[in-house]
Amino acid sequence: SYYALLRGGNKADECASAPPPGCQAPPVSECELPMIDVGCLTACGGGTEERAACAAAIASAAAEWGFFQVVNHGVKQELLEAMRREQVRLFRLPFEAKATAGLLNDSYRWGSPTATSPRQLSWSEAFHVPLAGISGTPCSYGELASIRDVTQEVANAMSKLANTLARVLAESLGHTAGQRFPKGCDERTCFLRLNRYPPCPFSPDAFGLVPHTDSDFLTVLCQDQVGGLQLMKGSRWVAVKPIPGALIVNIGDLFQAWSNNRYKSVEHKVVTNATTERYSVAYFLCPSYDSPIGACEEPSPYRTFTFGEYRRRVQEDVKKTGKKIGLPNFLL
């Protein structure tokens, strides 16, 4: 079965089977996301005019695309390469070890347990790590002991970048300069997700990750050069061309709500590859569950809600229908 292949861990890479039901996807064109040099924001230096131009470019990309790429972002390349090496070692463990050994705060997940049809299945496995649990996780990994330290270092670097970009985007909509944004968000409330997308015998009829929007304020993504990320631009899917050294940033649902729909949380997905595995690391900027999301100004098209309420509603919808509804649930 579809799940048996994926649960087979590395054996799934060698298996073949009939594709699940579904239509053949139409051809997808490749795009280059807006590329922004954020060195004036992440490093000492940079004049007022340069910083203002950078902030304007970020806000424009968030409004038009909901996605953009950044360079000179402050996350060292050697650190990202170390993370990739640790991911490869981690995901090569047998399925039973990943699922039951309590690695990275027992955060392993695979596929889509709530799926109600083949088109809701994700051909992938991941560690969705709550950052509050990394430093306190017992170091009982044996030869994989270094994964905790590298994961924490990557999270720290991506957190600094994510908070800088979120503050710039908020200030572009009138948030008081120098004040923390988003409120209720710190290293204890955010997540780092380590992804692996195995070669898929069903490709291109299966998703590596089903179409969705992110339920956070902001996501920072490091992907490898295999490709597979696609986003909805207008009414069609476009493939994101991997750029060495660049990180991808996308707006989440909470930022769209806070910005009164000026910034766009755009639907995206990962398509599978028949022969090559793909790795990525994503940092999710999330507030505490009891944090009200608020708005940049009133009136807002959305009623007041907390992050916890939003998460619960998303989970209820996925369990009931197999699909996230998201922000439309909270429209006034």
Side-chain angles (χ1 to χ4, degrees):
S1 71
Y2 189 94
Y3 268 152
L5 284 176
L6 183 56
R7 286 190 58 174
N10 295 331
K11 291 182 180 179
D13 303 350
E14 303 167 2
C15 293
S17 181
C23 299
Q24 182 73 28
V28 174
S29 61
E30 190 174 62
C31 73
E32 289 192 20
L33 296 176
M35 179 70 75
I36 303 171
D37 186 334
V38 295
C40 62
L41 304 177
T42 59
C44 295
T48 302
E49 291 185 3
E50 183 182 7
R51 293 170 67 88
C54 183
I58 292 170
S60 175
E64 181 181 352
W65 284 81
F67 272 76
F68 53 95
Q69 297 182 98
V70 294
V71 293
N72 292 324
H73 41 66
V75 184
K76 296 179 180 178
Q77 185 62 32
E78 54 265 33
L79 175 60
L80 296 174
E81 291 170 357
M83 184 77 263
R84 169 63 183 270
R85 291 192 295 271
E86 295 292 346
Q87 279 183 268
V88 171
R89 292 204 301 154
L90 182 64
F91 283 113
R92 281 179 179 170
L93 290 173
F95 174 80
E96 291 73 16
K98 290 178 287 190
T100 63
L103 300 178
L104 294 176
N105 206 33
D106 198 26
S107 59
Y108 181 70
R109 56 180 64 180
W110 55 271
S112 305
T114 58
T116 58
S117 74
R119 297 305 289 170
Q120 295 167 1
L121 294 170
S122 293
W123 187 263
S124 59
E125 57 179 338
F127 285 86
H128 193 73
V129 188
L131 299 186
I134 292 181
S135 60
T137 303
C139 192
S140 57
Y141 309 153
E143 294 182 357
L144 288 170
S146 59
I147 184 68
R148 181 176 63 177
D149 294 337
V150 174
T151 300
Q152 185 68 69
E153 193 172 352
V154 170
N156 291 344
M158 286 190 169
S159 173
K160 184 177 180 180
L161 173 63
N163 279 283
T164 296
L165 296 174
R167 187 178 66 252
V168 166
L169 284 164
E171 290 174 0
S172 294
L173 295 183
H175 185 71
T176 303
Q179 288 191 359
R180 185 175 183 84
F181 183 90
K183 294 180 179 179
C185 180
D186 58 33
E187 65 276 1
R188 299 167 298 174
T189 62
C190 300
F191 295 83
L192 193 74
R193 185 178 174 107
L194 312 179
N195 298 302
R196 175 181 179 259
Y197 302 91
C200 180
F202 308 136
S203 184
D205 295 290
F207 295 120
L209 195 60
V210 296
H212 67 286
T213 58
D214 289 351
S215 300
D216 63 351
F217 269 100
L218 196 75
T219 304
V220 177
L221 175 73
C222 174
Q223 65 168 348
D224 61 19
Q225 299 305 301
V226 175
L229 175 64
Q230 297 183 3
L231 61 90
M232 184 65 71
K233 177 63 173 170
S235 59
R236 64 188 181 93
W237 290 105
V238 294
V240 177
K241 180 180 179 180
I243 304 295
L247 296 178
I248 294 173
V249 180
N250 67 276
I251 300 299
D253 298 344
L254 304 186
F255 226 145
Q256 176 169 325
W258 185 88
S259 71
N260 291 344
N261 294 332
R262 295 176 189 175
Y263 300 147
K264 307 302 182 189
S265 180
V266 173
E267 190 174 32
H268 52 286
K269 63 183 179 179
V270 176
V271 297
T272 54
N273 189 295
T275 60
T276 307
E277 65 182 353
R278 175 182 184 267
Y279 289 91
S280 68
V281 180
Y283 177 90
F284 298 95
L285 184 66
C286 302
S288 61
Y289 280 15
D290 60 355
S291 293
I293 302 311
C296 62
E297 62 183 10
E298 297 295 341
S300 169
Y302 300 99
R303 68 172 178 83
T304 300
F305 62 92
T306 65
F307 180 46
E309 182 183 3
Y310 190 77
R311 290 260 303 191
R312 286 191 297 272
R313 187 62 186 270
V314 167
Q315 291 167 355
E316 290 170 2
D317 288 339
V318 170
K319 185 176 181 180
K320 185 182 301 182
T321 69
K323 186 175 182 180
K324 169 184 172 179
I325 296 174
L327 286 176
N329 281 327
F330 297 88
L331 287 168
L332 290 172

